[in-house]
Amino acid sequence: MRNKLILSLLCAAVLTGCGEYNKVLKSSDTNYKYEYAKKAFEERKYVQAATLLEDVVKVLKGTDKAEESLYLLGLSHYENKDYASASTYFQTYYTHYPKGKYTELARYIFPLDSACNRFGN
C-alpha cells in the first residue's frame, strides 16, 4: 500500500512538471517563458532552457533581459554539448555586448580565434 502511494505521488510530480513546461512552451508571455527558462537552467534542464530561450531571445532584444538571455542560451547549448550552436550564440553575445556582464566568461568558453578550430573549420 505504501509503495503504491509513493509511486502515485512520484507520477503526479513528473506529470505536473511536464504539464507546466508544455504550458510555458505554448504561452505567448515572453517574461513567463524567460523566467521559466532561467528556472529550468538552474535545475540543469538545459534542453528546456534552450528551447524557451530560443523563443524569447529575439523578442527580448533591446531590453534589460536581452543580455542574460543570450548568454544563458549559449550556456544551455554548451551544457548540452551542442558546441557549434554554443559557439554561435557566444560569438553573437560578445559581438553585441563587448563590455557586457558575461563577455569575459563567453570569451573564455569560446574564444573567437579558436572556436573555428574546434570544429575543423
Side-chain angles (χ1 to χ4, degrees):
M1 180 70 167
R2 184 173 179 208
N3 289 340
K4 287 184 181 181
L5 178 64
I6 292 172
L7 183 61
S8 295
L9 290 173
L10 183 62
C11 287
V14 169
L15 292 175
T16 302
C18 292
E20 185 179 2
Y21 172 68
N22 285 330
K23 179 181 167 187
V24 174
L25 196 56
K26 292 176 184 176
S27 174
S28 60
D29 185 349
T30 303
N31 288 323
Y32 183 45
K33 284 184 174 184
Y34 172 73
E35 293 301 325
Y36 192 90
K38 284 177 50 175
K39 178 182 161 194
F41 184 85
E42 290 170 6
E43 294 174 355
R44 297 176 182 227
K45 297 176 182 176
Y46 302 118
V47 173
Q48 288 183 1
T51 302
L52 292 170
L53 287 167
E54 285 176 358
D55 282 349
V56 301
V57 75
K58 293 176 188 115
V59 179
L60 292 175
K61 194 172 185 175
T63 68
D64 56 338
K65 297 175 183 173
E67 181 180 351
E68 184 178 28
S69 65
L70 187 56
Y71 176 73
L72 286 176
L73 180 55
L75 208 51
S76 295
H77 283 290
Y78 181 80
E79 292 294 340
N80 284 324
K81 298 181 179 18
D82 180 359
Y83 301 121
S85 295
S87 174
T88 300
Y89 287 115
F90 283 135
Q91 288 178 22
T92 302
Y93 175 83
Y94 55 72
T95 300
H96 286 87
Y97 304 100
K99 296 181 189 253
K101 183 176 180 180
Y102 308 103
T103 300
E104 188 173 343
L105 293 168
R107 285 186 180 275
Y108 176 77
I109 295 170
F110 274 98
L112 185 59
D113 57 349
S114 67
C116 292
N117 294 334
R118 290 183 184 189
F119 307 110
N121 294 333

